[in-house]
Amino acid sequence: QVQLVESGGGLVQPGGSLRLSCAVSGLTFTDYSMSWYRQAPGLERELVATIEGFTYRTNYADSVKGRFAIWRDDVKNTVYLRMNMPEPQDTAVYYCHARDSRAIDGAVYWGQGTQVTVSP
């Protein structure tokens, strides 16, 4: 059974820092591209950041470039998102996402989400 379990969400002040974690089990972690998505109330879910397996190549949404960082620990089967200098518009539910990168239509899995609120 595949599980993606996010943690680390909560309330953070603008200009602060927060680290999200996503622990993955039930799949071969290195076969999967890992991403963080977010969804704010009334808006569509959007891609925040992606990190590939093996190459560790990363990609970020323009809105978070230079502020957020994604990395993965292939020993702990965990992907992280560091949110530096968060802004109120970063408030959203953040979701962990895994995609089997061995195929174009590879299997996809989602976590349950963790709420991040950026407020003074």
Side-chain angles (χ1 to χ4, degrees), residues 4-104:
L4 282 67
V5 181
E6 299 102 333
S7 59
L11 176 64
V12 60
Q13 292 187 341
S17 183
L18 195 68
R19 189 185 79 170
L20 306 182
S21 302
C22 173
V24 181
S25 60
L27 52 76
T28 303
F29 190 63
T30 51
D31 286 339
Y32 282 74
S33 169
M34 299 300 303
S35 299
W36 288 95
Y37 283 74
R38 68 185 180 187
Q39 187 167 20
L43 299 179
E44 292 187 355
R45 193 171 295 189
E46 63 173 354
L47 177 65
V48 176
T50 298
I51 183 166
E52 302 291 342
F54 294 109
T55 66
Y56 300 122
R57 183 173 57 195
T58 58
N59 187 52
Y60 295 91
D62 288 342
S63 59
V64 306
K65 273 180 186 175
R67 298 188 299 120
F68 290 10
I70 186 171
W71 73 100
R72 60 193 292 159
D73 186 326
D74 289 347
V75 174
K76 295 182 178 179
N77 285 6
T78 301
V79 62
Y80 303 92
L81 183 71
R82 169 71 70 184
M83 302 173 60
N84 295 321
M85 302 297 290
E87 303 165 352
Q89 51 265 41
D90 295 320
T91 295
V93 177
Y94 283 71
Y95 296 90
C96 182
H97 172 276
R99 184 184 66 81
D100 189 338
S101 56
R102 295 173 296 175
I104 293 175

